[in-house]
Amino acid sequence: MAYGKKVLDHYENPRNVGVLDKDAPNVGTGMVGAPACGDVMRLQIQVNDAGVIEEAKFKTYGCGSAIASSSLLTEWVKGKTLDEAAQIKNTEIVEELELPPVKIHCSVLAEDAIKAAINDLKSKAS
Amino acid sequence: MLTPTYMDYSSTTPVDQRVAKKMAKYLTMEGDFGNAASRSHYYGWQAEKAVDEARSQVADLVGADPREIVWTSGATESNNLAIKGIAHFYEKRGKHIITLKTEHKAVLDTCRQLEREGFEVTYLDPLPNGLLDINVFKKTIREDTILASIMHVNNEIGVIQDLQAIGDICRENKVFFHVDAAQSVGKIEINLESLPVDLMSFSAHKIYGPKGMGALYVSRKPRVRLEAQMHGGGHERGMRSGTLATHQIVGIGEAFAIAKAEMKDEGIRVQKLRDRLLAGFSDMEEVVVNGDLEQRISGNLNISFNYVEGESLMMAISDVAVSSGSACTSSSLEPSYVLRALGLTDELAHSSIRFSVGRYTTEKDVDDAIKLVREKVQKLRDLSPLWDMFKDGIDLSTVEWAAH
């Protein structure tokens, strides 16, 4: 299977790879997927006092499309409020990266990851 | 365009120039294009001569009588013909078949089909090194067992089964023994004169012959009978009808003849390359060779780079053409059933890469591949949350994953 240009770009130059302090009160961590399924994504977001995402980091074990999906997502969520970030749909990722049908689950995983990170952050606040 | 280095010889091989040259002589008006079944003129006789010669070449490599060789379109067809052919011919004797979970799909799916027709199939687990547990096999044989189908060399992990031991048990119990030898013929010695094997499948394209060509060995002593799966003009003593593809047959013959002449030296050379490749990875952390390393074909290295997903590694090393047991390389999202049958964890199965080297692989190819793989594994591990967890001392099997 040949890969799309955008997948290759994100795969070769992944944006925002790294780790944030998961114990910090303004950091939310979402870890989704399972080794059994061949992909695990860890997405972390850091919000400022205004509730805007100012930093996002990821690490992903998975195929090129999974890595590209999470890399793209970290770019997209920066500068967004939590509510805005929660609106991101996997179909937008599919469209942007031109993922084939067999790789749609990678985008679903990325959507799950941002939602999990937001939930983590909200549970910390409450 | 610079093409990637080919290290996927277990998938297929290029046709040897010498083979291609010979094949080209059996196609055009100027060549011997005739139908080997045309018994009444020169063109038919020429084709028949070529087919006879090729049959001898194939028989020669494996210690068989030329009359024991049936032409097919490849190992898949040979496996189908052998297994269904025996099952259908001898079903009155019994309806139980034994095979191994790590067999090629051409065997497993054929067995599944027979199950739908009312046969009973036992799929044995291999030992963790990929080999058949002879004692378990022995105990599995029943009164109504008619056939055992066990491959010689596994296509993914390259392990070699003990055909003598398995065959002896089959003979003692009057069970027919079929062997898929697609991955072994021309690489390790096979002598059917002494081996207790009743049926053996061969493929041309795994040993520098053309795709779409194979053969089935059907023993004459003891005599084995098959019900044909392809009906028509009664070619191949009624076992496989269809006009013989002279150029393809000449191709398999030449490829097998070259293998007979060069197999020994080539085996030594290829094993050196494989060992060099393995040595290049041996000091890396969390690297596991899948399948027994001793009982193994010379060109195969199936290796898992733990915490790195196989498909993304293949993508990263796209300058080298290899295979992976990762789910992502198939459309099923299931990792390799062969590696799973060995009891590998999901992570390790997903992280596997199969390198297979062969006739045209050079030392430089190997050295370049080592350098590239080492660099990319490091890069992907830096990107892997599992690697972080491993480094933090977390046992991944204790983590509750949100499977999707």
Side-chain angles (χ1 to χ4, degrees), chain A residues 3 11 36 42 59-60 63 103, chain B residues 311-312 316 350 382-383 388:
Chain A
Y3 298 96
Y11 174 73
R42 187 181 60 204
K59 281 203 179 187
T60 291
C63 64
K103 296 296 184 188
Chain B
E311 192 206 353
S312 63
H350 277 294
D382 287 342
L383 208 69
D388 279 357

Side-chain angles (χ1 to χ4, degrees), chain A residues 72-86:
Chain A
L72 174 70
L73 197 65
T74 57
E75 275 193 325
W76 277 359
V77 297
K78 276 200 217 179
K80 283 193 164 70
T81 65
L82 293 184
D83 285 343
E84 285 167 348

Side-chain angles (χ1 to χ4, degrees), chain B residues 69-94:
Chain B
I69 303 299
V70 174
W71 301 124
T72 67
S73 62
T76 291
E77 189 192 331
S78 298
N79 289 338
N80 270 267
L81 175 57
I83 297 168
K84 290 178 186 163
I86 287 280
H88 292 154
F89 198 93
Y90 294 98
E91 65 183 311
K92 290 214 174 74
R93 201 193 278 186

